[in-house]
Amino acid sequence: MTVTEIVQSNLIKFDLKADNKEEVIDQLADLYVKNGVITNKDNYISAVYGREQEGTTGVGEGIAIPHGKSKSVTRSAVVIAKLLDPVAWESLDNHPVKYVFLLAIPDGGDTEHLKLLSELAGILMNDNVRFELQQAKSAGDIQAIFKDRGNEL
């Protein structure tokens, strides 16, 4: 499975309004529930916060890649949010986050988890990708950014 395969327009939230990291994760988890990606929101969010305690997922350049592995995840997915206003995220560069890529991985998907995380981080290191994210005007624009990008790695 590749990032290209899991980026779906129904899992992209454009101009998400939130005051902090917790509100972002909560709203994105709701989107997973709505789309059948997770069966138990509390269980999944607990897994995400457990990972957050191990170290920051704010990778810099206004991007965070939080993730959670949980038995409540039915399939691997990524929900993408372009925030209306940046929020604090304890990022590596100490800057607030504008783009959140929340990964959901089924329990036991260690290899897939690492592969998707590595692939996504690699794509987001590309200056052109970050520029295109800034220029995106719709969920379709964001989905197009990732179309076939996994093959570039």
Side-chain angles (χ1 to χ4, degrees):
M1 182 165 290
T2 66
V3 168
T4 299
E5 293 170 324
I6 64 171
V7 172
Q8 300 174 348
S9 62
N10 59 323
L11 293 175
I12 298 173
K13 190 77 174 172
F14 212 81
D15 289 339
L16 180 75
K17 185 175 176 163
D19 291 328
N20 53 53
K21 174 169 71 172
E22 291 76 18
E23 285 183 18
V24 172
I25 290 171
D26 187 75
Q27 290 184 52
L28 296 183
D30 283 340
L31 196 55
Y32 274 150
V33 170
K34 179 180 172 185
N35 284 280
V37 175
I38 60 174
T39 57
N40 182 315
K41 181 180 170 182
D42 291 339
N43 181 293
Y44 174 71
I45 286 179
S46 177
V48 172
Y49 287 142
R51 172 54 190 90
E52 288 290 311
Q53 289 179 352
E54 294 176 17
T56 186
T57 56
V59 297
E61 303 286 343
I63 296 170
I65 312 175
H67 42 283
K69 260 188 322 183
S70 166
K71 63 182 177 187
S72 67
V73 176
T74 61
R75 60 183 161 87
S76 295
V78 61
V79 63
I80 301 170
K82 183 174 184 178
L83 307 182
L84 185 61
D85 298 306
V87 299
W89 204 285
E90 303 95 30
S91 298
L92 294 174
D93 62 2
N94 295 317
H95 291 292
V97 163
K98 176 85 173 172
Y99 305 95
V100 178
F101 298 80
L102 178 62
L103 282 169
I105 305 295
D107 210 16
D110 293 335
T111 302
E112 185 172 72
H113 176 202
L114 294 174
K115 180 180 177 289
L116 289 172
L117 185 60
S118 173
E119 184 180 338
L120 183 58
I123 291 170
L124 293 171
M125 287 177 54
N126 182 314
D127 292 340
N128 291 333
V129 169
R130 291 194 309 276
F131 177 76
E132 289 175 34
L133 281 172
Q134 292 170 0
Q135 301 303 310
K137 303 280 188 240
S138 69
D141 288 348
I142 291 177
Q143 186 176 20
I145 293 169
F146 291 92
K147 186 174 186 324
D148 298 328
R149 271 254 159 67
N151 297 330
E152 292 177 3
L153 299 174

